[in-house]
Amino acid sequence: MKAFSYERIDDAAQAAARAFEVPGSKFIAGGTNLLDLMKHEIEVPPHLIDITRTGLDDITETGEGGVRIGALVSNTALAANERIRCDYPVLSRALFSGASGQLRNKASTGGNLLQRTRCPYFYDTAMPCNKRAPGAGCAALDEGADTRQLGVIGTSEHCIATHPSDMAVALRVLDAEVETITPQGQTRRLTLDEFYRLPGDTPDVENVLEPGEIITGVVLPAPVGGRQQYYKVRDRASYAFALVSVALIETDDGKGRVALGGVAHKPWRRDEADAELGNGAKAVMAKLLDGARPTDENAYKLTLAERTLAALLAKE
Amino acid sequence: MTSTTTFEKHRESATTRSAVALSINGQRHELELDNRTTLLDTLREHLKLTGSKKGCDLGQCGACTVYINGKRVNACLTLAVMHQDDEITTIEGVGDVEHMDPMQQAFIDNDAFQCGYCTPGQICSAKATLDEIRAGIPSHVTKELTGPIEISDEEIRERMSGNLCRCGAYANILKAINQVAKDQIVKDQVAKERS
């Protein structure tokens, strides 16, 4: 790990202003992903700003009948929250399907959104990676590369990495918004679709946060009810990242929403695919995965996504 | 690469050490540490509390599991300087040879280890597993998110998945945790009847 200076700032706006002042600073909350990356020297921040005591750890009601989740709420606290379990079960289920008990106790809501890909070539510093070292190339696109876990849609010729979060897939299907504060003290709210970027020719830029801008919370709109499910397909029964995951909400009016994890650089959802839910999994996936460019090794994800959705729709 | 130069300049000129007071097993320790020092390295290298083990050092094996403010975490994935005034409990604070915790006794009774390297982490995680079930926190395998949670092999296995054991003592670890869970249920029943 590279040496760094450290300070704790107990106010989110001040932390944002300070991060803007010191180039390359990073916020640290749970640290479960950042420290892992720092040990590998994939992240080499010269300065860390500890935001764990900024008080952003409440889950509160919004005026619109929804819920506001502070950025520091741990994954365990969020998943176990009574209101979330009752009204947003897809979110609880997604969180419980991720990581381990120890990690969920430490990992924060904001940090979960900002976690980096687990692409093996991003992690292997001996290999070229446009996300880690812009312009270096992408080893995942080389002949014979191991792409089994990587993206099938929304990819580019510079990067085929996926976003690893389960939580973000559930938040996407729930129409959640990310709440931020800029170093200038302005707040803004972004849908998850707006928040995350596709890799394009700058895969190192994963979201639209400006330098110093800090996530203060996540806002869930009023509950939509219906039947909510999250199903994660992975190589072992627990403590593994998704090969494919499906977040599904079927509402009483016969409509619904579906988002996928493990297939793209961001949680994957399309309105035109949601509209096909009454016509079965094949029809949904025809729209949702239209334009997919899988590799020979990960084309199975297209079939797997369709079958997983079919299984969820058929569930009694 | 201008940004890299700026980073390195900052690194050279800035202070990269900090003072921190840690409360570990009820005892206060005042330390001055390189900011990079993880809680695990602080425990093992600076305070000679070597019960918590370093396996992977990346949060994958769980050998370093300790409690921070009552919650189990991986000590390898957190910086010591971030824990001013937090209450930290390690395996040394769970029990010792004279005052064994029921979970430690159950591991011995059930032959729940071979080399023993992962055992402190397993025990810390096992205790937390039962605490989390008693607190009504569901898991990935809990059928109903809002109903009561039944202690089962499936629940215990899922909740212990962050602790790896190379010797493969899993079957007996499961037995040990079940033993403590059963004893707790009996104790809870007795306490309920008395009150």
Side-chain angles (χ1 to χ4, degrees):
Chain A
M1 203 186 306
K2 294 261 192 190
F4 55 86
S5 51
Y6 164 89
E7 70 183 314
R8 203 181 87 201
I9 298 183
D10 296 348
D11 174 83
Q14 281 172 23
R18 179 70 176 140
F20 188 71
E21 231 170 68
V22 186
S25 357
K26 288 253 172 209
F27 301 117
I28 186 162
T32 51
N33 187 219
L34 181 57
L35 288 170
D36 179 29
L37 293 166
M38 285 168 67
K39 287 181 185 195
H40 285 93
E41 296 193 1
I42 295 165
E43 296 275 13
V44 288
H47 185 64
L48 283 189
I49 300 174
D50 176 352
I51 55 163
T52 51
R53 313 208 186 181
T54 48
L56 299 170
D57 43 15
D58 285 337
I59 299 174
T60 51
E61 303 287 321
T62 64
E64 297 87 47
V67 173
R68 186 183 175 281
I69 304 154
L72 295 176
V73 173
S74 75
N75 287 179
T76 302
L78 180 56
N81 179 272
E82 225 22 79
R83 180 81 203 277
I84 302 297
R85 277 196 260 171
C86 292
D87 291 342
Y88 307 94
V90 68
L91 179 54
S92 282
R93 286 295 182 194
L95 283 159
F96 284 133
S97 78
S100 67
Q102 291 96 313
L103 290 168
R104 287 191 297 271
N105 279 344
K106 201 88 179 70
S108 68
T109 304
N112 188 313
L113 288 172
L114 294 175
Q115 66 179 305
R116 311 292 304 274
T117 185
R118 264 50 171 209
C119 173
Y121 302 103
F122 174 70
Y123 260 83
D124 186 346
T125 51
M127 301 299 255
C129 170
N130 288 319
K131 197 181 264 305
R132 182 168 22 82
C138 171
L141 292 167
D142 290 348
E143 188 90 20
D146 174 13
T147 60
R148 192 174 156 271
Q149 298 171 67
L150 302 180
V152 294
I153 193 157
T155 53
S156 75
E157 69 250 46
H158 304 285
C159 180
I160 60 168
T162 58
H163 196 273
S165 171
D166 293 297
M167 182 191 80
V169 181
L171 290 180
R172 179 75 179 94
V173 91
L174 288 166
D175 281 336
E177 290 185 309
V178 181
E179 195 185 76
T180 71
I181 188 162
T182 67
Q184 294 74 36
Q186 276 154 347
T187 58
R188 58 173 181 156
R189 268 198 195 184
L190 302 151
T191 66
L192 260 78
D193 194 38
E194 292 163 345
F195 180 77
Y196 288 117
R197 295 177 76 261
L198 286 178
D201 52 11
T202 53
D204 54 313
V205 188
E206 292 168 357
N207 55 61
V208 299
L209 289 176
E210 298 289 339
E213 187 170 8
I214 187 168
I215 296 175
T216 51
V218 170
V219 179
L220 296 176
V224 285
R227 182 167 77 154
Q228 306 192 0
Q229 303 182 74
Y230 188 80
Y231 198 93
K232 180 176 182 178
V233 186
R234 44 185 160 173
D235 283 333
R236 54 184 188 203
S238 183
Y239 197 17
F241 288 97
L243 296 169
V244 164
S245 70
V246 177
L248 174 67
I249 300 179
E250 296 162 278
T251 41
D252 302 335
D253 52 8
K255 291 188 176 145
R257 310 163 177 192
V258 61
L260 300 180
V263 297
H265 204 250
K266 63 202 277 188
W268 198 253
R269 183 179 164 201
R270 281 173 175 165
D271 291 344
E272 60 270 32
D274 285 357
E276 293 292 333
L277 262 171
N279 301 322
K282 204 173 199 62
V284 172
M285 289 303 163
K287 298 279 187 206
L288 192 53
L289 295 173
D290 183 38
R293 287 187 307 176
T295 64
D296 289 347
E297 254 200 319
N298 68 20
Y300 76 92
K301 288 193 178 192
L302 305 181
T303 319
L304 187 56
E306 186 184 312
R307 289 181 182 168
T308 306
L309 178 63
L312 293 184
L313 288 169
K315 224 170 169 186
E316 287 298 313
Chain B
M1 296 278 283
T2 356
S3 61
T4 314
T5 325
T6 322
F7 287 16
E8 293 319 317
K9 264 192 190 152
H10 178 94
R11 240 188 279 282
E12 278 162 28
S13 62
T15 312
T16 55
R17 298 178 70 85
S18 303
V20 64
L22 298 177
S23 169
I24 300 162
N25 303 327
Q27 205 184 324
R28 191 179 156 90
H29 300 268
E30 294 197 5
L31 299 159
E32 200 259 335
L33 298 167
D34 184 308
N35 293 336
R36 288 174 287 190
T37 320
T38 60
L39 178 58
L40 179 61
D41 284 344
T42 307
L43 295 170
R44 292 181 54 83
E45 308 298 332
H46 294 260
L47 301 171
K48 307 298 174 201
L49 291 167
T50 53
S52 309
K53 296 291 186 276
K54 185 184 280 195
C56 68
D57 208 24
L58 296 168
Q60 295 170 1
C61 76
C64 66
T65 305
V66 301
Y67 307 100
I68 300 179
N69 300 328
K71 299 201 167 71
R72 58 170 163 160
V73 301
N74 301 110
C76 75
L77 277 191
T78 192
L79 299 170
V81 293
M82 295 176 72
H83 294 292
Q84 176 80 32
D85 303 325
D86 284 339
E87 292 293 332
I88 296 154
T89 306
T90 67
I91 190 69
E92 288 89 347
V94 168
D96 57 32
V97 179
E98 270 94 53
H99 314 90
M100 202 101 74
D101 183 89
M103 191 64 79
Q104 292 172 311
Q105 188 60 55
F107 267 62
I108 293 170
D109 295 347
N110 291 281
D111 200 11
F113 49 87
Q114 195 182 113
C115 83
Y117 194 80
C118 72
T119 311
Q122 298 279 4
I123 289 173
C124 287
S125 220
K127 282 172 63 63
T129 283
L130 296 184
D131 288 348
E132 286 160 14
I133 293 174
R134 274 151 71 100
I137 300 173
S139 81
H140 174 61
V141 300
T142 309
K143 296 280 176 296
E144 297 292 332
L145 277 179
T146 49
I149 305 164
E150 215 173 294
I151 298 178
S152 64
D153 288 357
E154 196 190 13
E155 277 287 352
I156 295 172
R157 282 198 184 102
E158 162 60 25
R159 291 168 191 266
M160 292 295 292
S161 70
N163 290 79
L164 306 183
C165 168
R166 268 180 58 146
C167 307
Y170 295 116
N172 289 352
I173 291 172
L174 190 60
K175 274 190 204 159
I177 300 173
N178 268 311
Q179 179 188 308
V180 176
K182 279 200 194 96
D183 290 350
Q184 263 180 9
I185 291 167
V186 173
K187 264 189 208 155
D188 286 352
Q189 206 76 38
V190 171
K192 220 177 164 185
E193 279 161 19
R194 278 198 188 139
S195 67

